[in-house]
Structures are given as C-alpha cells and as structure tokens.
C-alpha cells in the first residue's frame, strides 16, 4: 500500500517527504495506477504533487462508465434537476474558492490576484450561465401546410450527444474546462475530461466538487496524462466517444481531427491566434494603454485572445510605443502568491525556451527591442522558474515569423499605419482569425472596421469582455465551430425533429 493518503487533490503526504498524489476520477471514484508524473510549479520549478497517469485501460473504463451513466438515472433527470445540480457545483467551487485559486496559481505560475478575479469566478459562472440557459432555451416549432393540403406540427426536441471527450490546455485551466463541461452536462451528456498535463490540480478539485454536489457516478470522469501517444490520444480515438471538444494549439487540433475521422465524431475546436489590435489616433489614450496593456500582457501573454500584433496610426506611433513601454516596465513581476504581483511566470521552462527563441530571432532579423527581450533576475528560487520580461518589438517586416507565428508570451510587435485600409489589410493578413480589437472614438469607423475583421470576435475599446451567451470561436486556423450560449447547446445536443400530422 502506498504510504500517501490517496484522495482527489486533497491528498496529503503520509510521510515527511512524499508529495500529494492527484487521482483520476472514474465512475464516481478516485483511482490511481502504476504510472505517475510530476506536477511542477513554474514559478520556481518545485514539485507540487505527483499525478496518476491514465493508461488505455483506465481511459476505456472512464468512457464505459460514461456510457453506462447515460443509460442510468442521469437519463431520467429533467432540465430543472440538472440545472439545480449545476448551481450546486457553482456553489461548491465558491465554497472552496481559495483552494482553487492556490491550485490554479501553483500549476500555472499566474498571480493569485488574477486567478481570484478571472479564472475561479469564471469557473463558477460557467455552471450558472448554462444552468440558466438550459432552463429558458426555446425549441423550434412550425405549423406546416403542404401544397397538397396536408397539415402538420413540426417541433424539435433536444437530446444529449452521448459521451463527450473534453481536452483542454494549460493557460486558463478551470475556466476553459468548465466552459465545456457546463453546457455538456446541461444538455444531459456524460463527459470524460482530460486537462493539460501541466495543470492537473484544479480539474482534480473540480472532481471532488462534482462528487460532493451529487453528480451521479460516471457522468463526470477525469483522466490525467499527456497528449500524443498517451491519455489524450486514447480518449479522442476511443470508438465509444461520440463528440470531442478541444481547446489548444492548431497543430494539435489537426491531429485530433484525424483521430476523430474514422468514427465521424463531431468536433468543436478553439485553437490558436495571432490577434491584431488597431489603434487609431483618436482613441482614448489612457484607456487604450490600460486595457490594451492587459490585452498584451495579461496571464503573461498566455491568453489565446492576447494581441501580439499592434497596428498604430502613424500620428501617435511614437507616443504609443513609449506609453506601452512605460506600462510594460511598470508591471510588477513577482511571486504568484504575492497579492500585488501583476505578472507571473510562463507555464514552463520549455515554453520559455520557445518564447526566448522568438526574441532571439527578432534580434537577428533586425527588430528594435523597445523593452524586455530577456529573463528577469531575482536572486532567489524564482531564478529556477520560467519568468520572462514583458517585451515590445518594432521594426520587423510583416513577413517575419515573429509577426506571423503565435508566440504565446508577454510580447507584441508594433507597426505604424497610414490609412484605415492599410490597417485592415495588415490585420487580416494571417492564417489565424480568433480575435481583434479596435481602439477609436469614431463610432462609425469602429463599426465599419469591425465588420471587416476576419475573426470570431472583435472588441471595440475593450478586450476580453465576455458575455457567455455570445458565439465564441475562430476562423481559419483558429478553430472550427462556435461555443457560447445557444451555440454550445447546439453542439452538445442532437436535435430530433418530430413531424405530427394534424389534418388533411
Ligand atoms: P496543446 O494543443 O499543446 O495541448 C492542449 C491539450 O491537448 C492538452 O491537454 C494536451 O495534452 C492535449 N493533446 C496534445 N496532443 C494531443 C493529441 N494528439 N491527442 C489528444 N490530445 C492531445 O495546447 P497548450 O500548449 O496546452 O495550450 C496553448 C495553445 O492553446 C495555444 O495555441 C493557444 O492559443 C491555444 N488556446 C486556444 C484557445 C481558444 O479559445 N481558441 C484558448 C486557450 C488556448
Ligand atoms: O472566455 C471564454 O469563454 C474563452 N473560451 C476564453 C478563451 C481564452 C483563451 O485563452
């Protein structure tokens, strides 16, 4: 018997040196296994826990449990009962708010202040939003009259898709996982969730909350592990998984799509971005620097919606560059656990290598490094972590890989423009199409430019301001399909149209 006290995420050491062990959650029970991997805090590269890795047998057990749950008591739960359960889950997250904040911060290196105002509240909000929506969502109905005199009533009912495989990334772990779990449960599905191997802790806590809220066994299953050739691949290629929803890199989306093809599973993909911001000379300068500053540096630049390409009208280019430089340099980089820290570490030292390689390429290609470009020095354990300086580049051609590739760090390249047309053309010159932002006080121009953006969402004078009822997703390499509001309900349910002859 392992000396560690094995529970979900609450497992504590049975000996002075043994780390916590995070479990898989299958058919209402925490389960472990023979293989484990480390959960690392990227702020100082210390180990926070060990994680039980799910092999193919455990993934199969999770999928089988989910299938069984669809035939069990869960199938008889009506919308009101499911919604009530989801409110309990939201309450359960809030009751353990600080634990979620600590887990999220320790796994990602993000400041506790950020996890407290963004990640964890959104985790709870996702359950409430989809509970509210499923209770009020209408159905289609048509009174039909055919040319040959028949009459019928056509109406549509919503049924669960079945077993949904959910694969999520590390940047906003709880937010992005619950964004998919909540609508899937609202529609009556059973889920098997695989969070990123980098961020297993908040998902494990969520499994405890699910269990304590009374989610029937097998409705919510959690498997830990890696992607290709591991848990993620086993899950998406399992023949008993009916649909796969994925958030992560575009390349991974392509691999998952291949794995889903033989079974013709429906897929929903939220993928990468290389998002433009267009700043006009008439913008509210203070607001633009404050909010677009967040749009570049929030979560150490690791939000798929972050602006990595900024186009600024030439008349204010010099002012903008120096104001954004000031903003970058005044961000407090520190221990994620300190309340006033604004910028934490990147997710891992491996990811930092990728980000730094772009900084090196930018220099080689003749960029001006306005600020940053390196690694901060602390003189303590953070020097073992994955910190990087907030960085601003100028002077690169639009064809540079630093302007075309998603870097996913606290970095942007700023380019001047002379006309609205030129700005729109440069902003749209990308294979991605997730998000854009426009900064102007000219309302007509804001509407005109916003409509021309080839993206899933355009913000005007704001960034990452979310209404969970709106469609969310990307075009091109940024995704397939939309989630959010009714779009989520439509992905996570099958519509069954019923045609009843009424006369003729
Ligand atoms: P990733 O694609 O490397 O990994 C995401 C998840 O997929 C992980 O759980 C991983 O284990 C799993 N995975 C990897 N290969 C797999 C495979 N072959 N089969 C099944 N599962 C597999 O992404 P990441 O590095 O965790 O996250 C960063 C990326 O996610 C960035 O590109 C970012 O833009 C994107 N992202 C997009 C959105 C969005 O809403 N569009 C949101 C957040 C992050
Ligand atoms: O806010 C959301 O619903 C959402 N899916 C955000 C994605 C952020 C990407 O990193």
């Amino acid at each position: 018997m392992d000396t560690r006290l094995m529970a979900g995420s609450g497992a504590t050491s049975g000996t002075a040196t043994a780390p916590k062990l995070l479990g898989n959650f299958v058919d209402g029970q925490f389960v472990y296994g023979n293989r484990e991997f480390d959960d690392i805090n990227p702020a100082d590269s210390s180990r926070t826990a060990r994680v039980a890795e799910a092999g193919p047998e455990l993934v199969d057990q999770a999928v089988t449990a989910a299938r069984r749950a669809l035939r069990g008591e869960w199938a008889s739960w009506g919308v009101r009962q499911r919604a009530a359960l989801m409110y309990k889950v939201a309450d359960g997250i809030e009751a353990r708010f600080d634990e979620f904040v600590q887990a999220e911060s320790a796994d990602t290196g993000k400041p506790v202040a950020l996890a407290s105002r963004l990640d964890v509240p959104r985790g709870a909000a996702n359950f409430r939003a989809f509970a509210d929506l499923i209770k009020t969502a209408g159905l289609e109905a048509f009174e039909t009259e055919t040319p040959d005199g028949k009459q019928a009533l056509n109406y549509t009912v919503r049924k669960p898709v079945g077993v949904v495989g959910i694969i999520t990334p590390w940047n906003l772990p709880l937010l992005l996982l619950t964004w998919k779990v909540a609508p899937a449960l609202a529609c009556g599905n059973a889920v098997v969730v695989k969070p990123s191997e980098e961020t297993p802790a908040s998902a494990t806590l969520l499994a405890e909350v699910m269990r304590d809220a009374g989610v029937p066994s097998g409705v919510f299953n959690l498997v830990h592990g890696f992607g290709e050739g591991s848990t993620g691949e086993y899950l998406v290629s399992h023949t008993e998984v009916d649909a796969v929803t994925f958030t992560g890199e575009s390349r991974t989306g392509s691999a998952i799509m291949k794995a889903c093809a033989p079974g013709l599973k429906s897929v929903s993909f939220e993928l990468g971005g290389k998002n433009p911001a267009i700043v006009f000379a008439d913008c509210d300068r203070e607001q633009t620097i404050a909010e677009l500053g967040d749009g570049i540096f929030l979560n150490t630049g690791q939000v798929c919606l972050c602006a990595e390409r900024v186009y600024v009208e030439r008349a204010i280019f010099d002012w903008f560059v120096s104001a954004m430089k000031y903003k970058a340099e005044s961000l407090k980089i520190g221990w994620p656990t300190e309340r006033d820290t604004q910028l934490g570490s990147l997710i891992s030292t491996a990811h930092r290598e990728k980000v730094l390689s772009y900084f090196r390429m930018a220099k080689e290609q003749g960029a001006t490094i306005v600020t940053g470009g390196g690694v901060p020095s602390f003189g303590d354990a953070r020097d073992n972590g994955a910190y990087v300086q907030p960085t601003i580049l100028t002077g690169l051609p639009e064809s540079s890989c630093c302007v075309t590739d998603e870097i996913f760090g606290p970095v942007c390249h700023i380019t001047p423009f002379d006309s609205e047309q030129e700005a729109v053309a440069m902003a749209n010159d990308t294979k991605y199409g997730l998000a854009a932002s426009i900064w102007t006080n000219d309302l007509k121009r804001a509407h005109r430019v916003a409509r021309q953006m080839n993206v899933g969402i355009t913000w005007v004078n704001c960034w990452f301001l979310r209404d969970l009822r709106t469609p969310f997703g990307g075009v091109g390499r940024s995704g397939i399909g939309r989630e959010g509001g009714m779009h989520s309900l439509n992905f996570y349910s099958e519509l069954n149209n019923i045609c009843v002859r009424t006369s003729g």
Side-chain angles (χ1 to χ4, degrees), residues 167-171 176 194-197 226-228 232-233 236 246-249 252 255-256 270-273 304 406 408 434 472:
I167 309 262
T168 51
W170 44 256
N171 61 327
L176 290 171
K194 195 207 81 67
S196 168
E197 55 274 28
F226 300 82
E228 190 182 356
E233 190 176 325
V236 296
F246 165 71
T247 300
E249 268 199 58
T252 313
I256 291 179
E270 296 180 358
L271 307 175
C304 59
E406 182 186 50
F408 222 52
L434 189 57
F472 185 91

Side-chain angles (χ1 to χ4, degrees), residues 313-374:
E313 198 164 359
R314 198 176 297 277
I316 59 161
F317 183 78
D318 290 342
W319 165 81
F320 181 90
V321 171
S322 66
M324 199 52 90
K325 173 178 189 287
Y326 180 78
K327 165 92 186 173
E329 290 173 355
S330 46
L331 289 169
K332 179 159 188 294
I333 309 179
W335 281 109
T337 44
E338 284 170 3
R339 277 272 148 199
D340 59 347
T341 293
Q342 294 169 298
L343 207 71
S345 70
L346 290 169
I347 186 66
S348 63
T349 48
H351 183 55
R352 180 172 68 178
E353 250 329 289
K354 175 190 159 186
V355 173
L356 290 175
S357 77
Y358 278 97
F359 293 176
R360 282 193 296 274
M361 285 188 280
K363 282 175 207 158
E364 284 159 20
Q365 292 168 16
T368 300
I369 313 287
V370 176
T371 187

Side-chain angles (χ1 to χ4, degrees), residues 122 171-172 175-176 179 270 303-305 464 466 472:
R122 249 307 288 280
N171 61 327
L172 303 168
L175 186 158
L176 290 171
W179 170 242
E270 296 180 358
V303 180
C304 59
L305 308 161
F464 206 179
R466 294 281 288 117
F472 185 91

Side-chain angles (χ1 to χ4, degrees), residues 100-311:
F100 274 101
V101 166
Q102 297 306 329
E104 209 70 326
S105 171
D107 269 5
T108 58
K110 73 175 70 197
V112 289
L114 179 61
S116 303
R117 83 166 186 272
L118 175 68
D119 302 69
V120 181
R122 249 307 288 280
N126 283 336
F127 284 100
R128 294 211 177 91
F130 286 104
D132 288 343
L133 186 65
I134 196 70
K135 284 201 303 186
T136 53
L139 293 166
E140 284 176 88
F142 298 94
E143 282 190 331
T144 307
E145 291 176 27
T146 66
D148 60 350
K150 291 181 186 128
Q151 294 185 342
L153 174 65
N154 276 281
Y155 68 96
T156 306
V157 292
R158 208 173 267 291
K159 299 170 76 175
V161 171
V163 178
V164 180
I166 298 180
I167 309 262
T168 51
W170 44 256
N171 61 327
L172 303 168
L174 183 72
L175 186 158
L176 290 171
L177 190 136
T178 52
W179 170 242
K180 294 174 183 300
V181 171
L185 296 192
C187 293
N189 297 284
V191 302
V192 181
V193 169
K194 195 207 81 67
S196 168
E197 55 274 28
E198 310 271 12
T199 54
S202 60
T204 317
L205 268 178
L206 182 67
E208 293 184 356
V209 167
M210 291 277 173
R211 177 197 60 195
D212 297 345
V215 174
S217 295
V219 170
F220 175 88
N221 303 276
L222 166 70
V223 287
H224 289 299
F226 300 82
E228 190 182 356
S230 177
T231 322
E233 190 176 325
Y234 306 145
L235 177 59
V236 296
S237 22
H238 197 293
T239 51
E240 284 294 310
V241 169
D242 299 297
V244 170
T245 174
F246 165 71
T247 300
E249 268 199 58
S250 305
R251 254 180 318 170
T252 313
S254 169
I256 291 179
M257 202 166 177
K258 271 194 208 134
C260 290
L264 293 174
K265 294 174 184 137
S266 55
V267 294
S268 171
F269 288 168
E270 296 180 358
L271 307 175
K274 186 73 182 179
N275 308 303
I278 304 180
V279 182
F280 289 96
D282 66 358
C283 68
D284 177 325
R285 294 188 182 200
E286 204 178 318
Q287 185 193 43
T288 302
I289 295 299
E291 301 225 358
L292 181 51
D294 263 0
I296 298 164
F297 301 118
L298 192 91
N299 207 36
T300 321
Q302 302 165 115
V303 180
C304 59
L305 308 161
C306 276
E308 290 194 2
R309 297 182 292 140
V310 182
Y311 299 100

Side-chain angles (χ1 to χ4, degrees), residues 465-485:
L465 200 169
R466 294 281 288 117
D467 180 325
L468 306 185
R469 298 166 299 184
T470 59
F472 185 91
V475 307
R477 289 200 188 162
S478 289
I480 296 181
R482 295 289 181 274
E483 295 192 33

